Structures are given as structure tokens and as C-alpha cells.
């Protein structure tokens, strides 16, 4: 199947193979599919009961079977009058109670009414969290930077490498710094370690008065007991629930740092954006259902063409962390090799998701996408207008950015034949080098501008796409047992590093590495 031929055969393809969801214009014409392919893929979705599982998810059923949990991130953006029950209890009122508390707190910080221990206003907000408790707020803070309170400084600390916290706080004044400790479980070693170090830094800076902690630390968690055990007042805790997965948690209390940055109204606009796509996914027929379509297209390449990866390439500097966010969303959800009953699957599951903002990637790795031997389906995300208040000269650069955006998907789809190369007078020996095979599939997602609502729409689109794929593959997209083994082993190795105790019963390679590490570290 050649894209050149598909377009030649159907002049209406460029407008016909498009969808509109909320503010998102989605063009899927540059895919290696016909109406027949799409019909068959929809039959696959019907045969695997994707919509049945969707309804079970929205209805609060415990579809995360290995953890016996409901999967209700959609309840986090449900309207206040919705009724969504888990174990017979409507969860929506609690969601809105927390949102209201977050809003009140965010307003107090933004207005300067919430002061630090010494009475100075808060000027710096440091979110300490990792995985889903970091990537969402950190990504969205960058994405919506044009909407943020510029007089406040925001930092995001995740890595247990002390350098992360060091660089985040070295130029900050503790008297003006608020730490937001974000951890669903409040047991994550990286986060608790960084939070403990941050507390010492704060107390050292403020004369050691433990009472300071209450003015400078808040927690976002499902685990009240651990939060109070850490010394954070229950009044300064914003809760969420076990039916919110870590990588789906960013529009829960985990979004507090973002809410302080952009203000409660903008945050609610973002939730409205999520809801637009939730409702679309729930109600649109299969033929027009964007998450279904994107999920099935991914399956088409992964399961039928053997594609191993999927690139997400935003043409917006503000979306610099978007793909990193999607990596957790997609790869932690669908990086599974047993089905829901625990039996090995004999089909490919989740792809490697990767990518960085255009046009930077064009001057780095696009060579391989254009002329390499691998099939890499890609999503191109772009906007018609820049969002920040740019100087006129910089506004003009936007058309140049977007010219690249359109040129790339065109080049990928249609390539350049040897005859076209020859016609340019290229010497015969160079013709193969300058030929572009084309036929590289891409989806183009275009919106007017990157508003909070549009960001919410984009994230929900990918959340539900990942859901669709997991449903077809019959895997549990909502657990993450694969992260556990490394945590357990780290605990076992750590005493050998920190306390210098006998190296435990390790394999020969790890034992030798630990020995070398200790020698290097302790050498004078
Ligand atoms: O929010 P926390 O409980 O601290 O968890 C932080 C992250 O670490 C875990 O290991 C999981 O793999 C992630 O899904 C989670 O987002």
C-alpha cells in the first residue's frame, strides 16, 4: 500500500480522513489504511469489547483486577452533579471538596495571604514527587507557562540524586519557599528522602523551629497516616483516592503546584478540556471516535507491521516535556506481557514512546525516520497561533515553525522517487542516497492555540488511546508490577553501599560492580 497511490485514487482523502474533537483537528489521511482497513480494525475493537470495558471503567467497576481497584481518573473531571459510585458510594462530592480546598489554598499563596514562618510571602514553590507525582505537574507547568504567575518561581524535584534538590533550592530563600510533597503512597523512597532533606534545609535556614514545617510543607497523598507521621499537618494535606492511578493522577490534588501557577480558574478550564474528550470517547460512534481510531492505528502498525516504537513530536516549545509525560502514561500502562488472566500474550503490546519538540528533532534523529530501515509511526502536534505575548518578530517565526511541521509529514508520506531526484540533475551515484522512500505514516493534530483546555483535551486523548490498546491486547493497563523488583533489590544493595556491610548474596556481576564502586568512592 503506497500513500502516493491512496491519495491519487481519492482526491477527497485529505479532508475525508479527518476528525474533530473539541478544539482538536485530527488528520489521519497519511496512514496506510483504506476504509476497509479501518472497518476491520473497528471489528477487532468490537470483538475485544473495547466499548464494554470503557463503560465498565467510566461506571466505576474494578477493572484493575490485579489490584482490585476501580479506574476513575474520569471522575476527577466530572461535573459536580455527576454520580459515579465506587462500592456504592458517590465519589464526585469528595472530588469537588478537594478541588475547592485546593482552589482556596492556591488563591492564598498567589495573593500572598499565605505566608511563611517568618511572615514573608511565598515566592517559590518546589514540588517534590516522582513518576506520576512529578511528570504531570512538571509537564503542564511548562505547557502552560504563558498563563503562569510570573512573580512566583516553580521547581520540580524528582530524582533521588541529591543534585536535583541541590540545584532546585540553592538560590532560594527558605523563608519564602513552599514545598509540596506529592506522593500517592507517601512511601516512595526518592520522594520521602528528598522531602526529608528539604525539611532539614528549611529548618537550618529558619533557626530550627519545628513549627516552621507547617507553614512551608503541604502534602498531596492518599495516605493520611504516613503524611502526619512525616510531620505534615493533616490540615495541609490534599487527598485523593486509590482509584486514581499514579500516571492518571495529575488532575487530582497532584495538580496543586500547577493550580498555584495558573490559578484555580485556569485549572478548571483544563479539567473541562479533559471532560470534552471523556464525553467524546464515551458517546461518539466508533467511526468518529478519536481515541478509538488512534489506538487502532497504533495496533495496526505494532501488531501487523512490526513497528516497535511510536514518536510523539510536538511543534511547540511549551510541550517540551509532553512526550516524557506520555512515556509513563503509555509504557507503564501497556508494557505488559501477560493478559488479564496472567497468561503470556503471544502478540506485541505497548510501543516504545519517544520524541522531543520539533524542529530540534529534525536536526538530530529525523534522518532515521526518513531514510532508516525502521517503521516509526509518528504524531505531529502543532498550533495555529503562538500562545505567549511574543514580540511581533517572534510571532512571525511561528509560520516558519509550522512550515516545518507541514513539510515534515509531507516528506515522510510522499518521499522523493529516484526519478524525481534524477530530474534535479543529481549524479547517478548519489541518486539512492538522495531518494526518500516515503510511506511513513503520521497523524497530525492541530489546534488553534495551546490553552489549558486544549492541554486537557490532548492528555485525555492519549489516556483513552492507551486504554483502547490495552483493552484490545487484553492486558491490565492500570497496574505496574514491573517497577517493583528494582525497588526491592535497591533496598537489598543499599546497606552494602551506605553502611559498608558485607556485600549480600549478589550475582557475580553486581558484586564486582559494587566492589569497584566502593573502591572508587573511598579512594583518597
Ligand atoms: O506517587 P507515589 O506513590 O510516590 O508514586 C510515584 C510513582 O512511583 C511508582 O513506582 C509507580 O511506578 C508510579 O506509577 C508512580 O507514579
Amino acid at each position: 500500500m503506497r500513500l502516493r497511490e491512496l491519495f491519487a485514487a481519492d482526491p477527497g482523502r485529505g479532508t475525508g480522513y479527518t476528525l474533530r474533537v473539541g478544539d482538536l483537528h485530527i488528520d489521519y489521511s497519511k496512514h496506510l489504511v483504506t476504509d476497509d482497513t479501518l472497518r476491520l480494525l473497528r471489528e477487532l475493537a468490537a470483538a475485544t469489547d473495547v466499548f464494554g470495558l470503557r463503560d465498565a471503567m467510566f461506571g466505576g467497576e474494578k477493572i484493575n483486577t490485579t489490584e482490585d481497584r476501580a479506574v476513575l481518573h474520569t471522575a476527577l473531571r466530572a461535573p459536580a452533579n455527576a454520580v459515579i459510585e465506587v462500592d456504592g458510594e458517590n465519589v464526585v462530592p469528595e472530588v469537588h471538596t478537594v478541588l475547592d480546598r485546593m482552589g482556596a489554598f492556591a488563591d492564598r499563596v498567589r495573593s500572598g495571604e499565605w505566608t511563611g514562618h517568618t511572615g514573608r510571602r511565598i515566592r517559590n514553590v518546589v514540588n517534590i514527587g516522582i513518576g506520576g507525582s512529578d511528570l504531570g505537574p512538571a509537564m503542564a507547568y511548562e505547557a502552560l507557562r504563558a498563563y503562569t504567575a510570573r512573580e512566583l518561581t516553580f521547581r520540580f524535584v524528582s530524582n533521588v540524586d541529591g543534585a536535583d534538590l541541590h540545584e532546585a533550592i540553592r538560590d532560594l530563600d527558605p523563608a519564602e519557599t513552599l514545598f509540596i510533597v506529592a506522593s500517592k503512597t507517601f512511601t516512595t523512597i526518592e520522594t520521602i528522602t528528598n522531602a526529608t532533606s528539604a525539611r532539614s534545609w528549611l529548618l537550618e535556614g529558619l533557626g530550627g523551629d519545628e513549627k516552621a514545617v507547617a507553614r512551608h510543607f503541604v502534602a498531596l497523598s492518599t495516605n493520611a497516616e504516613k503524611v502526619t507521621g512525616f510531620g505534615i499537618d493533616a490540615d495541609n494535606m490534599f487527598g485523593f483516592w486509590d482509584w486514581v492511578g499514579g500516571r492518571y493522577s495529575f488532575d487530582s490534588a497532584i495538580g496543586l503546584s500547577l493550580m498555584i501557577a495558573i490559578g484555580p480558574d485556569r485549572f478548571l478550564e483544563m479539567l473541562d478540556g479533559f471532560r470534552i474528550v471523556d464525553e467524546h470517547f464515551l458517546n461518539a460512534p466508533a467511526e468518529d471516535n478519536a481515541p478509538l481510531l488512534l489506538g487502532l492505528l497504533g495496533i495496526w502498525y505494532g501488531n501487523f507491521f512490526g513497528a516497535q516504537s511510536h514518536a510523539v513530536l510536538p511543534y511547540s516549545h511549551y510541550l517540551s516535556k509532553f512526550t516524557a509525560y506520555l512515556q509513563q502514561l503509555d509504557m507503564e500502562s501497556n508494557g505488559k506481557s501477560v493478559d488479564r488472566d496472567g497468561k503470556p500474550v503471544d502478540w506485541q503490546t505497548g510501543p516504545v514512546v519517544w520524541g522531543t519538540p520539533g524542529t530540534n528533532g529534525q536536526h538530530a534523529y529525523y534522518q532515521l525516520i526518513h531514510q532508516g530501515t525502521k517503521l516509526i509511526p509518528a504524531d505531529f502536534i502543532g498550533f495555529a497561533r503562538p500562545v505567549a505575548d511574543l514580540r511581533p518578530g517572534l510571532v512571525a517565526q511561528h509560520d516558519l515553525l509550522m512550515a516545518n511541521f507541514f513539510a515534515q509529514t509531507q516528506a515522510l508520506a510522499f518521499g522523493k522517487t529516484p526519478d524525481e531526484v534524477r530530474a534535479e540533475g543529481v549524479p547517478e551515484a548519489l541518486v539512492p542516497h538522495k531518494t526518500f522512500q516515503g510511506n511513513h505514516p503520521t497523524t497530525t493534530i492541530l489546534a488553534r492555540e495551546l490553552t489549558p483546555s486544549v492541554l486537557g483535551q490532548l492528555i485525555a486523548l492519549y489516556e483513552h488511546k492507551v486504554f483502547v490498546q490495552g483493552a484490545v491486547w487484553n492486558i491490565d493497563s492500570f497496574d505496574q508490577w514491573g517497577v517493583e523488583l528494582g525497588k526491592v533489590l535497591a533496598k537489598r544493595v543499599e546497606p552494602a553501599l551506605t553502611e559498608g556491610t558485607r556485600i549480600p548474596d549478589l550475582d557475580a556481576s553486581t558484586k564486582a560492580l559494587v566492589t569497584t564502586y566502593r573502591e572508587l568512592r573511598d579512594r583518597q
Side-chain angles (χ1 to χ4, degrees):
M1 202 182 276
R2 303 286 310 168
L3 284 171
R4 279 188 180 228
E5 285 157 27
L6 292 175
F7 274 84
D10 175 9
R13 190 175 171 98
T15 46
Y17 275 34
T18 59
L19 276 179
R20 183 87 197 205
V21 186
D23 299 306
L24 309 178
H25 174 87
I26 302 174
D27 177 316
Y28 58 98
S29 63
K30 296 190 183 86
H31 278 287
L32 297 163
V33 293
T34 61
D35 286 350
D36 242 5
T37 327
L38 294 171
R39 183 181 50 76
L40 289 164
L41 286 168
R42 283 195 299 270
E43 277 178 26
L44 174 62
T48 48
D49 197 21
V50 172
F51 282 173
L53 193 69
R54 172 201 65 186
D55 295 344
M57 173 175 76
F58 277 81
E61 283 179 41
K62 296 191 175 173
I63 64 164
N64 175 0
T65 48
T66 70
E67 295 183 309
D68 193 28
R69 286 177 183 167
V71 175
L72 272 181
H73 41 282
T74 51
L76 299 171
R77 52 258 192 168
N81 59 2
V83 177
I84 302 171
E85 293 189 345
V86 177
D87 294 328
E89 217 175 292
N90 183 13
V91 299
V92 178
E94 299 177 75
V95 167
H96 283 267
T97 304
V98 174
L99 277 174
D100 291 346
R101 282 188 60 223
M102 288 165 66
F105 181 75
D107 279 339
R108 290 180 74 190
V109 174
R110 285 164 64 84
S111 69
E113 187 199 325
W114 178 278
T115 53
H117 182 61
T118 64
R120 302 247 292 275
R121 70 178 289 179
I122 296 298
R123 295 187 192 281
N124 317 304
V125 177
V126 181
N127 188 83
I128 299 179
I130 198 164
S133 299
D134 165 71
L135 288 163
M139 174 276 290
Y141 172 70
E142 288 302 328
L144 300 177
R145 208 150 179 163
Y147 300 88
T148 56
R150 301 281 188 170
E151 66 280 11
L152 293 172
T153 297
F154 290 83
R155 305 262 163 88
F156 296 85
V157 173
S158 54
N159 200 325
V160 76
D161 182 342
D164 197 0
L165 182 64
H166 170 74
E167 293 297 340
I169 58 178
R170 54 181 295 186
D171 58 344
L172 304 186
D173 181 343
E176 300 179 341
T177 301
L178 175 72
F179 289 98
I180 298 182
V181 186
S183 177
K184 178 177 167 181
T185 55
F186 229 76
T187 57
T188 304
I189 190 91
E190 291 87 343
T191 299
I192 301 307
T193 305
N194 275 326
T196 306
S197 299
R199 187 172 56 182
S200 308
W201 173 82
L202 180 97
L203 291 176
E204 270 165 40
L206 296 181
D209 186 350
E210 292 272 341
K211 282 208 240 42
V213 172
R215 303 299 301 174
H216 293 269
F217 274 80
V218 300
L220 321 173
S221 187
T222 58
N223 193 337
E225 205 182 311
K226 291 273 182 204
V227 168
T228 46
F230 181 85
I232 297 177
D233 207 321
D235 285 348
N236 295 346
M237 169 176 161
F238 299 86
F240 58 111
W241 308 273
D242 74 355
W243 40 262
V244 182
R247 52 197 173 275
Y248 298 89
S249 64
F250 138 71
D251 40 9
S252 70
I254 292 295
L256 183 65
S257 52
L258 176 71
M259 195 194 257
I260 296 171
I262 63 172
D265 291 345
R266 295 288 194 191
F267 192 86
L268 295 181
E269 273 172 46
M270 183 185 74
L271 295 189
D272 288 344
F274 275 91
R275 188 158 68 228
I276 288 169
V277 176
D278 290 347
E279 283 167 6
H280 165 86
F281 182 45
L282 198 53
N283 300 315
E287 305 77 55
D288 303 323
N289 198 300
L292 183 77
L293 174 80
L294 296 187
L296 291 173
L297 287 170
I299 284 167
W300 181 228
Y301 299 115
N303 295 102
F304 296 86
F305 287 71
Q308 294 278 327
S309 81
H310 183 93
V312 179
L313 308 165
Y315 278 63
S316 163
H317 187 67
Y318 289 118
L319 288 181
S320 60
K321 294 189 174 167
F322 189 67
T323 309
Y325 172 79
L326 291 186
Q327 284 180 322
Q328 186 197 15
L329 173 65
D330 200 324
M331 295 164 79
E332 198 170 71
S333 295
N334 285 344
K336 311 287 163 64
S337 52
V338 296
D339 70 12
R340 285 197 207 105
D341 298 321
K343 294 200 205 73
V345 294
D346 61 1
W347 44 83
Q348 287 291 309
T349 59
V352 176
V353 176
W354 63 282
T356 51
T359 56
N360 303 9
Q362 288 172 210
H363 297 274
Y365 51 78
Y366 275 37
Q367 164 68 37
L368 185 144
I369 309 181
H370 282 287
Q371 288 190 318
T373 51
K374 298 188 172 50
L375 173 65
I376 302 175
D379 296 348
F380 280 67
I381 303 171
F383 301 93
R385 292 158 53 104
V387 73
D389 192 13
L390 303 179
R391 293 189 309 124
L394 294 178
V395 174
Q397 288 184 208
H398 194 75
D399 284 339
L400 178 59
L401 169 72
M402 292 305 284
N404 277 279
F405 175 81
F406 295 117
Q408 286 297 327
T409 58
Q410 187 190 12
L412 286 167
F414 305 113
K416 198 172 188 181
T417 64
D419 284 346
E420 286 167 345
V421 177
R422 271 183 210 110
E424 290 174 352
V426 171
E428 197 54 35
L430 280 183
V431 169
H433 298 281
K434 295 197 157 196
T435 297
F436 287 71
Q437 61 266 43
N439 231 28
H440 299 292
T442 57
T443 302
T444 297
I445 302 175
L446 190 60
R448 186 164 187 265
E449 57 184 41
L450 182 55
T451 61
S453 171
V454 165
L455 180 69
Q457 293 172 41
L458 277 172
I459 299 170
L461 181 69
Y462 280 97
E463 284 179 349
H464 296 318
K465 172 203 159 174
V466 166
F467 173 89
V468 165
Q469 298 190 330
V472 172
W473 291 323
N474 190 29
I475 54 179
D476 186 334
S477 298
F478 300 100
D479 60 14
Q480 56 285 313
W481 300 108
V483 299
E484 294 304 321
L485 179 61
K487 290 186 195 174
V488 172
L489 295 186
K491 270 204 187 130
R492 233 193 271 164
V493 174
E494 199 201 353
L497 307 187
T498 53
E499 292 155 29
T501 48
R502 196 182 62 79
I503 294 173
D505 200 13
L506 293 174
D507 65 273
S509 163
T510 312
K511 193 174 207 160
L513 286 167
V514 167
T515 307
T516 306
Y517 168 80
R518 291 205 326 206
E519 270 168 29
L520 291 171
R521 184 192 61 188
D522 300 337
R523 191 190 295 159
Q524 290 307 315

